[in-house]
Amino acid sequence: FGICHLIHRFCYEYPGLRVLMVRKTLVSLTDTALVTLREKVLHQDEPIQWFGGSRFEPASLRYANGSRIVVGGMDNASKFLSGEYDIIYANECWELSEEDWETLTTRLRNGVLEHPRIYGDPHPTYERHWMYKRPQIKWLKSTHADNPTITEDYLETLRRTTGTRYQRFYL
């Protein structure tokens, strides 16, 4: 929720901004973070239009000021090789390989932001995940309290999980 809200604000603040929102597959993105963005962050009265894509342009959310949030899957990372973005959001980035991540970083070259950036919401499932080995990654801790859409009922469901699921999803 937080990253979706952040990139939405940036799209308003910086006309012509290009954001790439990816997950390992487009299908998994469509069912998760894209739903959060469209249903919990965007408002119906905002002048943002969904474009389903064509052979000339990928699927995206189009802002009236020329900003775009392009959506895609990393199942074929080479399709982004000619892309130019200011911000990349890799949803559930623990699913990506280190090669995927590095490929994405080379696309941060659109020039609207002075300091382009890549964001991810990692939930690495093991201590030796490649993300822990990258000194360039700045880790920001967040809790369920940071997400205004989380209900007490949902937290109770998470509290009832066990083992690594309890550590990963609740703690």
Side-chain angles (χ1 to χ4, degrees), residues 2-155:
I3 296 173
C4 288
H5 183 73
L6 180 68
I7 62 177
H8 173 59
R9 280 191 51 212
F10 274 131
C11 283
Y12 270 119
E13 190 173 336
Y14 296 94
L17 190 77
R18 288 185 49 83
V19 176
L20 175 61
M21 185 176 185
V22 297
R23 192 164 168 178
K24 189 62 176 178
T25 66
L26 178 58
V27 170
S28 57
L29 179 67
T30 301
D31 291 339
T32 56
L34 195 53
V35 172
T36 300
L37 177 63
R38 291 177 69 183
E39 296 182 6
K40 298 190 176 181
V41 175
L42 304 180
H43 300 284
Q44 291 179 350
D45 58 340
E46 291 181 302
I48 301 166
Q49 294 182 334
W50 172 252
F51 172 69
S54 70
R55 61 181 228 202
F56 300 107
E57 186 179 345
S60 65
L61 288 161
R62 296 175 169 181
Y63 288 70
N65 67 0
S67 292
R68 301 276 186 273
I69 299 176
V70 175
V71 299
M74 290 298 293
D75 43 326
N76 179 7
S78 65
K79 65 186 160 195
F80 300 114
L81 288 180
S82 294
E84 298 179 352
Y85 301 96
D86 299 289
I87 296 173
I88 296 172
Y89 167 36
N91 176 240
E92 297 293 347
C93 57
W94 64 273
E95 298 172 331
L96 303 182
S97 68
E98 189 169 17
E99 182 179 347
D100 290 337
W101 183 266
E102 288 181 358
T103 298
L104 289 173
T105 64
T106 66
R107 304 301 90 208
L108 292 169
R109 59 185 187 159
N110 191 48
V112 171
L113 287 183
E114 183 178 350
H115 302 288
R117 57 207 69 168
I118 184 169
Y119 295 107
D121 45 6
H123 303 101
T125 54
Y126 53 95
E127 292 180 8
R128 294 187 177 184
H129 193 280
W130 65 264
M131 295 189 79
Y132 290 127
K133 299 175 185 175
R134 294 188 68 92
Q136 310 92 324
I137 291 178
K138 181 177 181 181
W139 293 83
L140 303 174
K141 183 177 170 93
S142 66
T143 67
H144 297 296
D146 298 322
N147 185 339
T149 67
I150 298 293
T151 65
E152 188 56 40
D153 286 343
Y154 179 68
L155 285 176

